[in-house]
Amino acid sequence: VSYLEQVFSEAISHPDIVALSIGTRPDCLPDETVELLSKLNKIKPVWVELGLQTVHPKTAEYIRRGYDLPVFDSAVERLKKAGIYVIVHMIIGLPGETPEMIFETAGYIGKSGADGIKLQLLHVLSGTDLAKDFEAGKFEVLELDEYIKILEECIRRLPPEMTIHRLTGDGSKKHLIAPLWSADKKRVLNAINSAFEKDKLIQEDYFTPAVHDFLIKCVEGHCNIMVAGETGSGKTEFVKYLASHTITNEKIITIEDTLELHLDKIYPQRDIVSMKTNNVASYSDVLVTCMRQNPKWILLSEVRSAEAVSAVRNSISSGHNILSTIHADKAASIPYRLYSLMETDLDVDQFLNTIY
């Protein structure tokens, strides 16, 4: 304990250090160590991370965790009594565990009194006993979509006040055997974000699951889509969500008068160019530059001028796909809203014929 006190005190005494986070085992926390951490916590915040991984004894024995569940319970209880912030690690996809078993672990952690959780994907690294079992066909790793479904259900088992510090994890690419998809961290995080956004939109009654799936098929089928809604209804966020389902290698150019989409920053690995109109560069000017870059998709900010209507029509007529928004009370009103913005000598029926 005296050695730990020396090391930890030296760490937190540095002026640039704002907190001390310690990763350890529940069976390495005797009362005198907890007492030390409590003393240090009065100087700067102390976090303790515990590797539970699973609540199931058979799995715990297989991964050689080395302690029983009551040891974990005791550690959390004593740390919380000492005012220490506790984070618990769990692994999703351990050999032999069903989704229901994984959910049980998440639920147990949620009720344990811990403050936070780190959810970790099982990955197989070369040179390990786990790798030998995997190569012998004794277990399979999760696919990305399986992992996300299980992850979402695990999160549903957690109390809303619990902080989620990690949603996945990836091993060294040099030693990674499986799952190989975990090496593409940006793809994984984007897929998780997209799944969470879908859940949020459905929970908020933005659309039904059937309508969601239909719209995604429309994107995949390269339909031109214009999202109608009133101010503050979430049109821009919905267009961003639809854009996230475009094919990865398809070029996207966004044209906005006020930068709101930020797709080039959200998906830096994709070929996305952001363009902005102003009093010098009009929609028409920017559109000409845009066409020269031959994008598959053109995302126009809210259509609210005759020039923007022309930009939409010209983009579609030139074979590009459009995602855009417009202020209208319902989808059926979109053509009439376009007409009201357009400076044209055509009567409304003639204009609608050009639309359809």
Side-chain angles (χ1 to χ4, degrees):
V1 174
S2 60
Y3 173 73
L4 292 177
E5 183 171 12
Q6 176 187 344
V7 173
F8 294 157
S9 297
E10 182 180 353
I12 65 173
S13 65
H14 194 286
D16 291 340
I17 301 300
V18 297
L20 180 65
S21 182
I22 302 166
T24 188
R25 296 169 53 90
D27 54 354
C28 293
L29 287 168
D31 290 339
E32 55 266 31
T33 301
V34 175
E35 185 178 342
L36 167 63
L37 297 178
S38 178
K39 183 172 74 172
L40 295 172
N41 192 46
K42 292 179 174 63
I43 303 171
K44 287 183 180 178
V46 174
W47 294 3
V48 172
E49 302 192 27
L50 302 175
L52 176 64
Q53 318 309 356
T54 180
V55 296
H56 302 286
K58 186 175 180 180
T59 312
E61 181 180 0
Y62 174 79
I63 64 175
R64 303 170 193 161
R65 191 180 66 190
Y67 64 84
D68 294 328
L69 194 55
V71 177
F72 165 80
D73 295 333
S74 172
V76 173
E77 181 181 2
R78 288 182 292 116
L79 287 168
K80 292 309 299 173
K81 282 184 179 179
I84 306 296
Y85 186 94
V86 179
I87 303 169
V88 181
H89 292 230
M90 71 170 283
I91 296 176
I92 295 175
L94 286 166
E97 291 204 348
T98 63
E100 288 70 26
M101 294 170 71
I102 299 170
F103 303 152
E104 287 176 19
T105 295
Y108 193 92
I109 293 172
K111 297 176 182 177
S112 69
D115 303 282
I117 187 171
K118 287 188 176 181
L119 298 130
Q120 168 74 43
L121 163 73
L122 176 76
H123 52 265
V124 183
L125 301 180
S126 61
T128 63
D129 289 346
L130 188 68
K132 293 177 183 177
D133 283 356
F134 176 73
E135 290 165 349
K138 292 184 179 180
F139 69 92
E140 295 180 351
V141 294
L142 297 171
E143 295 296 333
L144 177 56
D145 59 340
E146 293 178 298
Y147 179 76
I148 293 175
K149 288 178 182 177
I150 293 173
L151 176 68
E152 290 181 300
E153 189 56 42
C154 285
I155 292 173
R156 292 188 182 101
R157 307 297 177 98
L158 304 175
E161 65 272 14
M162 177 170 275
T163 302
I164 300 172
H165 292 262
R166 178 186 294 160
L167 292 171
T168 185
D170 53 291
S172 164
K173 292 183 181 180
K174 180 180 177 181
H175 302 291
L176 182 66
I177 294 177
L180 294 178
W181 55 260
S182 67
D184 189 348
K185 195 164 188 175
K186 288 179 180 176
R187 176 198 169 204
V188 174
L189 293 177
N190 284 337
I192 291 173
N193 181 67
S194 181
F196 286 2
E197 187 64 23
K198 172 186 174 181
D199 286 347
K200 176 186 174 186
L201 290 169
I202 291 174
Q203 289 168 6
E204 293 176 349
D205 291 327
Y206 204 93
F207 44 44
T208 64
V211 170
H212 167 272
D213 294 344
F214 168 75
L215 290 171
I216 298 306
K217 288 297 181 184
C218 287
V219 173
E220 293 172 352
H222 299 101
C223 295
N224 298 303
I225 300 175
M226 186 166 287
V227 178
E230 298 182 355
T231 302
S233 60
K235 300 187 295 295
T236 299
E237 289 304 309
F238 185 44
V239 164
K240 287 167 66 174
Y241 177 73
L242 293 177
S244 72
H245 287 81
T246 57
I247 298 172
T248 303
N249 62 1
E250 292 181 339
K251 182 167 188 168
I252 298 175
I253 292 184
T254 66
I255 301 177
E256 305 174 81
D257 50 13
T258 301
L259 295 178
E260 296 178 315
L261 294 170
H262 305 296
L263 291 179
D264 54 330
K265 293 180 174 61
I266 298 173
Y267 305 103
Q269 76 280 13
R270 291 196 55 178
D271 188 1
I272 301 176
V273 177
S274 176
M275 295 184 174
K276 185 177 183 298
T277 64
N278 53 36
N279 57 353
V280 176
S282 65
Y283 267 107
S284 300
D285 297 330
V286 172
L287 191 60
V288 170
T289 304
C290 169
M291 298 295 192
R292 288 172 181 163
Q293 299 190 42
N294 194 31
K296 183 65 181 177
W297 289 92
I298 298 176
L299 272 63
L300 287 163
S301 63
E302 185 167 329
V303 176
R304 46 186 167 223
S305 67
E307 190 176 40
V309 175
S310 295
V312 168
R313 298 176 70 188
N314 292 337
S315 300
I316 294 172
S317 64
S318 59
H320 299 86
N321 300 116
I322 287 292
L323 280 173
S324 189
T325 68
I326 193 168
H327 186 85
D329 61 347
K330 55 187 177 181
S333 301
I334 292 175
Y336 298 94
R337 175 61 176 158
L338 291 172
Y339 178 77
S340 69
L341 293 170
M342 192 70 179
E343 298 170 0
T344 177
D345 294 330
L346 295 174
D347 64 34
V348 64
D349 291 330
Q350 289 176 311
F351 180 80
L352 294 180
N353 285 335
T354 68
I355 295 289
Y356 295 119

